[in-house]
C-alpha cells in the first residue's frame, strides 16, 4: 500500500533525525543505557504499527519519548512481579516520577549534553569514550566504529558493553559537569567530536569520499559546545570543522571520485562556511598558550584564503606545523608537515622526510604515508618506486573513491 | 551509594602527609555525613596473607601483590554518584602524594 510505504519512509526519516535525541531523553527518564535502548526500539516498533493507522503525530519526538517510556515502565512492572528485591519496581517508580518536562525542547537539548559528557567521562578509558560516543550520541553501528579505529568488531562491542557496565556499577551520573569541572571535561569531549568529524570528512571505508551526516553531526555538536562553553579550543575545533567541511563539494567529482586539494575547483568551496570559520580564528587564537585546535585552524585558514594551490603561503603552513608539532608531537602531523615542505621546497625534500617517518615504523600501515611517498616518487620520475608505494596504499585503503584514485594513478604510470 | 576510597602511597612519602591533617580530613567528612569508616594502616611489612586451600589455612608474610605504592589506609564513604565520590576522594590529603582508588561497593546477592 503506497500510504503505508510513505509512513514507513516517514518513520525511517524520523529515526535518522530524532533517534539519538529520543535515546538521550530516555536514558535520563529510565536511568539506564540498555533499558533506554530497548525502549527506543519498542517505541519505533510501536510507531511502525500505529502511524500508518493514526497518521504521523505532530511532534514525533515527544510521541516516541512517551511511547518508549511507557513501554519501559510496563516491562519493569512485569519484571517487578517476579523480583524478590523489588529493585526493578523501584526503578519503574522512578521512571513514572520522571514526568518533569520530558517533551520540553530545552530539556531535550540538555539531555544530549548529559549523554555526551557521560560518554566522555574521564573515568572511562579514552578508547571507550570514543566508542561509546559514536555508538550512543551519533548512532554509528559497531562495525563502522570498528573500521574507523582499525579494531575487530567483537573487541569494540566488548569495549562498549564494559563501558556501560561501569556507568551503571560505579554510578557515573547523567549530568553536565559543574562549571568548575567543565574545562577539563571539555577536552575529552572535543577530542571525541574531532574524531567523529574526521570519520565523516574522510570516511575510512565505504562508497563515498565523505559522509556528510557524520560531519554535520560533529559540527552540530561543536556549535552546541561553543554555546555551552565558549572556550578558545572549542571555538578552534568548530572553526576547523567549518573550514574543512567548506571544501566538501570540491573534494569529490560528479562521478564520486576523489579530487586532491591542488586540483579542487575553489569556486565550489562554501564561502559562507569559510567566512564563519575564518571569523572564529581570532577568538580561537586568543588563549595562552595557543591550543592544538587553534593552530590547526590557523593552517586551514591559510588554505581557505589562497586562490590556488600555487598561491598558497606554504612557508607559513610549514611554520604553523612546526608550532603544532611542539604542542602535540605526532607522526601523522609530521607527515602533513612533510607534504607542506614538499610544496615549498620540492618533492625530493618531502620524499626524504616521508621515508624517514616510514623507516621509524609507526606509520608503516598508514595508507596516506604510502600515498605521499608514491606521489613524491611520481613527481621525481621514479616510476617503479611510485608504483610500489601506490600498490601498498591501495592494499591498505577501504574507501571506494580512494581505491579508484590510486588505481588511476597506477594506470597512468603504466602508460 | 557507598564507595571505598583506597589510599596508596610510596613508603618514603608517608611523612609528607601529617597524621593531624588526615584526622582533620576524616572529622570534616564525618561532620558532613559523608563518612562511614576510615582508618590508617600499619606499614605493609606488618601484613600477613591468609589463604584456605582444601580446608587448610596457609599463612604467608606480606601482601598479595608487591607494588611500589602500598595500601596505607581507607575511607568508606557515602556519595550520591561517582562524581560526588571523586570530589570527596580529591580532598583526601595523600591524594596529592600518592593515589586514591575509588571503588563502588557491591551489594551481596541473596
Amino acid at each position: 500500500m503506497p500510504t503505508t510505504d510513505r509512513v514507513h519512509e516517514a518513520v525511517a526519516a524520523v529515526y535518522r533525525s530524532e533517534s539519538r535525541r529520543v535515546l538521550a531523553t530516555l536514558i535520563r527518564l529510565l536511568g539506564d543505557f540498555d533499558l533506554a535502548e530497548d525502549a527506543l526500539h519498542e517505541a519505533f516498533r510501536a510507531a511502525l504499527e500505529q502511524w500508518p493507522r493514526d497518521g504521523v503525530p505532530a511532534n514525533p519526538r515527544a510521541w516516541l519519548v512517551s511511547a518508549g517510556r511507557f513501554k519501559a515502565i510496563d516491562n519493569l512492572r512485569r519484571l517487578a512481579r517476579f523480583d524478590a528485591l523489588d529493585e526493578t519496581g523501584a526503578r519503574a517508580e522512578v521512571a513514572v516520577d520522571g514526568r518533569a518536562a520530558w517533551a520540553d525542547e530545552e530539556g531535550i537539548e540538555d539531555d544530549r549534553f548529559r549523554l555526551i559528557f557521560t560518554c566522555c567521562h574521564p573515568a572511562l578509558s579514552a578508547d571507550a569514550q570514543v566508542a561509546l560516543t559514536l555508538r550512543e550520541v551519533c548512532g554509528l553501528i559497531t562495525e563502522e566504529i570498528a573500521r574507523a579505529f582499525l579494531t575487530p568488531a567483537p573487541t569494540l562491542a566488548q569495549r562498549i558493553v564494559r563501558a556501560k557496565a561501569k556507568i551503571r556499577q560505579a554510578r557515573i551520573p547523567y549530568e553536565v559537569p559543574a562549571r568548575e569541572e567543565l574545562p577539563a571535561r571539555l577536552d575529552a569531549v572535543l577530542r571525541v567530536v574531532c574524531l567523529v568529524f574526521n570519520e565523516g570528512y574522510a570516511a575510512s571505508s565505504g562508497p563515498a569520499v565523505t559522509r556528510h551526516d557524520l560531519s554535520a553531526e560533529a559540527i552540530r555538536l561543536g556549535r552546541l559546545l561553543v554555546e555551552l562553553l565558549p572556550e578558545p579550543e572549542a571555538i578552534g575545533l568548530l572553526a576547523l570543522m567549518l573550514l574543512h567541511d567548506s571544501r566538501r563539494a570540491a573534494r569529490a567529482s560528479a562521478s564520486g571520485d576523489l579530487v586532491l586539494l591542488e586540483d579542487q575547483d575553489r569556486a565550489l568551496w562554501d564561502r559562507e562556511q569559510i567566512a564563519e570559520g575564518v571569523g572564529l580564528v581570532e577568538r580561537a587564537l586568543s588563549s595562552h598558550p595557543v591550543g592544538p585546535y587553534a593552530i590547526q585552524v590557523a593552517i586551514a585558514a591559510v588554505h581557505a584564503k589562497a586562490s590556488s594551490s600555487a598561491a598558497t603561503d606554504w612557508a607559513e603552513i610549514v611554520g604553523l606545523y612546526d608550532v603544532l608539532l611542539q604542542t602535540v608531537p605526532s607522526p601523522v602531523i609530521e607527515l602533513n608537515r612533510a607534504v607542506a615542505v614538499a610544496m615549498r621546497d620540492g618533492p625530493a625534500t618531502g620524499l626524504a622526510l616521508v621515508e624517514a617517518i616510514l623507516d621509524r615504523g609507526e606509520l608503516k600501515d598508514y595508507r596516506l604515508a604510502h600515498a605521499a611517498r608514491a606521489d613524491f616518487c611520481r613527481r621525481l620520475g621514479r616510476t617503479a618506486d611510485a608504483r610500489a608505494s601506490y600498490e601498498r596504499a591501495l592494499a591498505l585503503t577501504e574507501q571506494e573513491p580512494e581505491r579508484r584514485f590510486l588505481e588511476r594513478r597506477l594506470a597512468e604510470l603504466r602508460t | 551509594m557507598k564507595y571505598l576510597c583506597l589510599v596508596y602511597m610510596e613508603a618514603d612519602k608517608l611523612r609528607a602527609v601529617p597524621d593531624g591533617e588526615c584526622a582533620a580530613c576524616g572529622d570534616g567528612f564525618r561532620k558532613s555525613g559523608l563518612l562511614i569508616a576510615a582508618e590508617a594502616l600499619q606499614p605493609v611489612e606488618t601484613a600477613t596473607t591468609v589463604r584456605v586451600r582444601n580446608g587448610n589455612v596457609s599463612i604467608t608474610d606480606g601482601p598479595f601483590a608487591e607494588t611500589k605504592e602500598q595500601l596505607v589506609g581507607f575511607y568508606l564513604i557515602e556519595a550520591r554518584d561517582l562524581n560526588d565520590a571523586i570530589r570527596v576522594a580529591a580532598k583526601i590529603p595523600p591524594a596529592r602524594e600518592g593515589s586514591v582508588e575509588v571503588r563502588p561497593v557491591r551489594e551481596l546477592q541473596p
Side-chain angles (χ1 to χ4, degrees):
Chain A
M1 224 167 67
T3 0
T4 314
D5 281 350
R6 262 209 302 281
V7 172
H8 283 187
E9 267 170 41
V11 173
V14 169
Y15 188 87
R16 280 193 300 273
S17 65
E18 301 291 345
S19 72
R20 297 298 112 190
R21 288 186 181 86
V22 173
L23 177 72
T25 298
L26 286 172
I27 294 171
R28 171 167 57 84
L29 296 176
L30 301 170
D32 185 271
F33 276 68
D34 290 332
L35 278 181
E37 271 163 40
D38 290 347
L40 177 74
H41 290 127
E42 292 215 37
F44 274 97
R45 198 173 304 138
L48 279 173
E49 280 167 21
Q50 294 177 31
W51 293 5
R53 194 181 63 220
D54 306 339
V56 178
N59 184 344
R61 186 194 300 168
W63 190 97
L64 288 161
V65 169
S66 172
R69 180 165 147 264
F70 280 113
K71 294 275 180 197
I73 292 165
D74 269 0
N75 291 344
L76 285 170
R77 284 203 174 124
R78 208 171 308 130
L79 281 173
R81 278 187 225 137
F82 304 101
D83 195 332
L85 264 181
D86 213 13
E87 193 195 322
T88 46
R91 261 202 219 152
E93 295 317 313
V94 170
V96 176
D97 282 345
R99 268 183 298 261
W102 50 260
D104 148 20
E105 290 290 320
E106 204 175 304
I108 285 173
E109 281 311 328
D110 281 353
D111 284 335
R112 300 208 83 196
F113 267 118
R114 288 189 183 95
L115 184 57
I116 295 167
F117 278 107
T118 304
C119 291
C120 301
H121 197 284
L124 302 171
S125 72
D127 287 349
Q129 291 174 34
V130 170
L132 203 58
T133 303
L134 288 172
R135 180 76 200 87
E136 307 298 328
V137 183
C138 304
L140 263 70
I141 59 169
T142 307
E143 285 71 20
E144 289 176 301
I145 310 171
R147 265 198 302 276
F149 295 96
L150 311 169
T151 309
T155 310
L156 217 117
Q158 186 64 254
R159 199 175 285 168
I160 292 173
V161 167
R162 286 204 188 116
K164 283 196 240 173
K166 181 161 188 185
I167 290 172
R168 189 168 51 241
Q169 287 162 350
R171 200 179 282 179
I172 293 178
Y174 197 57
E175 64 183 22
V176 176
R179 197 104 208 138
E180 64 274 15
E181 290 165 4
L182 257 179
R185 295 284 304 277
L186 186 67
D187 280 349
V189 176
L190 293 180
R191 193 171 42 80
V192 170
V193 172
C194 187
L195 283 162
V196 173
F197 179 81
N198 286 346
E199 177 58 11
Y201 182 70
S204 62
S205 64
V209 176
T210 60
R211 292 199 4 222
H212 183 52
D213 49 346
L214 271 186
S215 313
E217 190 69 22
I219 289 174
R220 219 189 61 79
L221 288 174
R223 281 189 202 285
L224 280 167
L225 284 169
V226 167
E227 211 173 283
L228 182 79
L229 198 72
E231 288 288 316
E233 278 295 89
I235 296 167
L237 177 57
L238 174 61
L240 184 62
M241 293 191 295
L242 286 167
L243 288 182
H244 277 289
D245 195 58
S246 70
R247 298 182 215 143
R248 183 169 33 87
R251 292 184 70 226
S253 69
S255 54
D257 283 320
L258 187 69
V259 183
L260 296 184
L261 181 62
E262 57 177 305
D263 304 323
Q264 285 173 16
D265 175 1
R266 297 186 179 214
L268 292 174
W269 287 5
D270 186 331
R271 292 291 145 192
E272 217 169 290
Q273 242 176 287
I274 289 176
E276 189 189 353
V278 169
L280 292 169
V281 172
E282 213 165 293
R283 279 170 73 198
L285 287 168
S286 67
S287 73
H288 299 281
V290 175
Y293 292 120
I295 303 167
Q296 289 175 74
V297 80
I299 294 170
V302 176
H303 286 299
K305 283 176 199 153
S307 59
S308 70
S309 177
T312 305
D313 188 346
W314 291 105
E316 170 81 10
I317 289 179
V318 172
L320 286 164
Y321 272 123
D322 287 335
V323 177
L324 185 58
L325 272 174
Q326 282 168 15
T327 318
V328 266
S330 133
V332 173
I333 295 170
E334 274 184 69
L335 176 67
N336 291 339
R337 180 184 173 277
V339 173
V341 169
M343 295 306 290
R344 188 190 60 184
D345 304 336
T349 323
L351 182 62
L353 290 171
V354 169
E355 286 185 334
I357 298 167
L358 279 169
D359 283 345
R360 294 206 316 260
E362 294 151 290
L363 296 185
K364 71 179 189 337
D365 294 327
Y366 188 58
R367 63 193 199 289
L368 299 180
H370 295 284
R373 181 178 184 272
D375 187 53
F376 297 149
C377 289
R378 181 182 63 89
R379 285 168 198 251
L380 292 166
R382 288 171 48 180
T383 311
D385 289 334
R387 197 176 293 144
S389 283
Y390 277 127
E391 271 161 6
R392 183 88 184 93
L394 192 58
L396 291 167
T397 187
E398 286 187 55
Q399 197 208 73
E400 266 311 299
E402 220 171 70
R403 195 180 55 73
R404 287 199 302 272
F405 171 82
L406 295 167
E407 279 171 348
R408 229 171 31 240
R409 284 282 200 240
L410 271 168
E412 284 163 14
L413 287 176
R414 269 182 217 114
T415 53
Chain B
M1 179 146 147
K2 288 177 199 150
Y3 293 85
L4 183 63
C5 301
L6 295 152
V7 182
Y8 290 89
M9 247 201 312
E10 284 174 34
D12 55 1
K13 288 192 179 152
L14 275 171
R15 271 174 303 159
V17 186
D19 276 5
E21 199 185 340
C22 293
C25 167
D27 286 343
F29 288 168
R30 199 170 283 113
K31 281 198 191 95
S32 317
L34 299 166
L35 194 70
I36 298 164
E39 299 292 350
L41 303 176
Q42 291 288 357
V44 72
E45 291 77 25
T46 66
T48 306
T49 298
V50 178
R51 291 180 183 84
V52 179
R53 296 288 182 276
N54 303 319
N56 299 321
V57 177
S58 98
I59 292 163
T60 45
D61 171 46
F64 176 66
E66 291 277 1
T67 52
K68 208 171 174 207
E69 289 194 326
Q70 51 168 284
L71 184 64
V72 295
F74 70 87
Y75 295 72
L76 181 63
I77 61 163
E78 183 67 45
R80 187 167 44 90
D81 53 43
L82 184 65
N83 285 0
D84 205 18
I86 290 169
R87 265 173 234 125
V88 174
K91 288 185 190 131
I92 295 174
R96 62 169 194 262
E97 297 291 336
S99 58
V100 179
E101 180 179 327
V102 180
R103 284 275 281 273
V105 166
R106 180 170 70 89
E107 298 295 334
L108 293 176
Q109 298 301 307

